[in-house]
Amino acid sequence: MKKLNLVRLTAVIVMLALMLAACGNSSTTQEVESPAVTEEAQETENPEETDEKEGAESAETEETSAGGTVEITDIHGTVEVPVNPQRVVALDNRTFETLSDWGIELVAVPKAVMPADSPYVSDETVADIGNHREPNLEIIAAADPELVIIGQRFASFDEEIRAMVPNAAVINLNFDVSEEAETPDENLVNGLKNSTIALGQIFEKNEEAENLVADFDKAIEDAKAAYDGEATVMSVVVSGGEIGFSAPRTGRVWGPMYEIFGWIPALSVADATSDHQGDDVSVEAIAQSNPDWLFVLDRDAATAAEEESTPAKDVIDNAPALQNVTAVTTEQIVYAPADTYTNESIQTYIELFNDIAVALAK
């Protein structure tokens, strides 16, 4: 009897042991599977949040592929402009070299008032709008542009152009350096810098734009430092074999520099203008003012065929009244880059200011 009870007790103990082992296995399995179940539950608990996240990512991708827009400040205020527009019309002579250097493709330009060596002039796929006196503005509308860049010679056509391309972004980067401007020196410096930065934002060339502005600032500093503060300066425009007076402050190209660099003018005249050929002043009057330095813009070098014009240097060298002028006898004459009249870009002014700095430092 005792032996039977012992067997039964043993059987009970074995059964209890098996049950405890089964419970232990079940608990272990649950602990392993629990995190996976939790993650799955989290993914399905907020389906709306998941959809919103996926939608936001999709929208961000679409915006990136489309280029987005950037806000540009022009003479009218803030303009929303597409980034990297594919169809661009440019009408501002102050921007052509920058756009060309950055490899920006254009669909239409005013070839008649551009440097002959501009790649846009020789490109037959780029439509020609003509000059600013008799432009064919219909070509702008036909080009179906995303962006039109207005400035300088075409600034007066602003309203007409906007009416012709209502679906395009239009920016007017013009700045005033005429006799009507209160601060032509500040307008020139800030105008070139601001328009360069704006173009950099539009075409994602921010670093290139900043480098140009830095070079421009450096060129101004160097030219300013090279001037001794005492030498007298005369600036002229040579056109059609005639010498015109580029007046301090208002004269074409040179005028604003008198205040930028603190030049002492050798001659001042009343009612001076910003005429593209300079003001009428006799060569004798120029000679009598006896400038220490002579700064010359050769207008014809940028607009006429070589065989049709007399180089400005020849005009100066062959003017009898100027032969005893200090600037001539000491060869203290600086000529602006040949294409300056049709290419008043920031690059042109950097080159010109560097030339002035080198000449004055001698």
Side-chain angles (χ1 to χ4, degrees):
M1 186 69 176
K2 290 182 178 179
K3 184 177 180 180
L4 180 61
N5 289 338
L6 180 61
V7 171
R8 289 178 177 174
L9 179 61
T10 302
V12 169
I13 292 173
V14 171
M15 289 180 64
L16 288 173
L18 290 174
M19 290 175 64
L20 288 173
C23 290
N25 290 339
S26 175
S27 175
T28 302
T29 302
Q30 183 177 0
E31 289 176 359
V32 173
E33 292 178 351
S34 179
V37 172
T38 303
E39 285 181 5
E40 187 175 5
Q42 288 177 344
E43 290 178 2
T44 57
E45 278 177 1
N46 299 308
E48 293 182 0
E49 291 183 4
T50 302
D51 291 342
E52 289 175 1
K53 181 178 180 181
E54 291 176 354
E57 291 176 349
S58 176
E60 183 177 353
T61 301
E62 291 177 2
E63 182 178 355
T64 301
S65 63
T69 62
V70 63
E71 289 188 345
I72 299 300
T73 301
D74 72 352
I75 65 173
H76 298 298
T78 302
V79 184
E80 191 169 326
V81 178
V83 174
N84 283 322
Q86 297 302 300
R87 301 187 62 78
V88 181
V89 172
L91 306 171
D92 184 359
N93 285 74
R94 294 165 174 148
T95 65
F96 294 134
E97 186 170 3
T98 301
L99 295 172
S100 175
D101 286 352
W102 292 350
I104 307 303
E105 295 184 0
L106 302 178
V107 294
V109 296
K111 296 185 179 183
V113 289
M114 295 175 64
D117 61 354
S118 170
Y120 300 124
V121 173
S122 58
D123 189 342
E124 295 182 357
T125 66
V126 179
D128 184 10
I129 297 166
N131 64 44
H132 57 296
R133 302 192 185 283
E134 296 180 353
N136 186 352
L137 299 183
E138 295 293 338
I139 289 178
I140 298 176
D144 189 26
E146 294 177 71
L147 172 65
V148 179
I149 303 171
I150 300 175
Q152 205 176 22
R153 291 173 173 86
F154 282 81
S156 61
F157 295 98
D158 187 296
E159 291 186 8
E160 190 172 352
I161 291 172
R162 290 174 188 276
M164 299 181 71
V165 288
N167 296 322
V170 180
I171 56 173
N172 191 329
L173 301 179
N174 192 48
F175 50 86
D176 188 11
V177 290
S178 71
E179 61 271 22
E180 298 177 358
E182 294 183 2
T183 56
D185 55 327
E186 294 179 10
N187 292 356
L188 177 67
V189 172
N190 294 332
L192 288 171
K193 291 165 68 170
N194 292 342
S195 56
T196 300
I197 293 298
L199 293 177
Q201 292 174 327
I202 294 170
F203 297 104
E204 294 188 309
K205 299 288 185 180
N206 294 302
E207 183 177 353
E208 291 86 342
E210 290 172 1
N211 289 339
L212 276 174
V213 169
D215 290 344
F216 183 61
D217 285 336
K218 179 66 164 51
I220 291 175
E221 291 176 7
D222 291 346
K224 189 179 297 184
Y227 178 58
D228 63 10
E230 298 180 358
T232 58
V233 173
M234 166 70 68
S235 52
V236 298
V237 178
V238 176
S239 178
E242 301 293 330
I243 301 174
F245 178 59
S246 178
R249 191 173 183 277
T250 63
R252 188 62 181 260
V253 174
W254 305 106
M257 297 183 204
Y258 284 81
E259 295 182 0
I260 293 173
F261 302 122
W263 292 343
I264 298 175
L267 177 67
S268 296
V269 298
D271 301 321
T273 71
S274 56
D275 187 86
H276 61 116
Q277 292 181 312
D279 292 319
D280 290 331
V281 174
S282 68
V283 179
E284 289 73 22
I286 294 175
Q288 288 175 4
S289 71
N290 194 28
D292 296 312
W293 284 92
L294 187 61
F295 297 126
V296 183
L297 170 65
D298 189 340
R299 179 181 177 275
D300 293 345
T303 60
E306 186 175 348
E307 62 275 8
E308 297 176 356
S309 63
T310 303
K313 187 177 186 307
D314 291 349
V315 175
I316 299 296
D317 290 345
N318 296 323
L322 298 180
Q323 299 317 299
N324 294 323
V325 169
T326 298
V328 176
T329 59
T330 58
E331 297 184 348
Q332 294 186 153
I333 305 175
V334 175
Y335 292 89
D339 65 353
T340 299
Y341 181 72
T342 55
N343 180 23
E344 293 186 55
S345 64
I346 192 170
Q347 290 93 334
T348 296
Y349 279 96
I350 291 171
E351 180 182 354
L352 177 54
F353 292 169
N354 286 335
D355 290 345
I356 292 172
V358 171
L360 293 177
K362 288 182 180 179

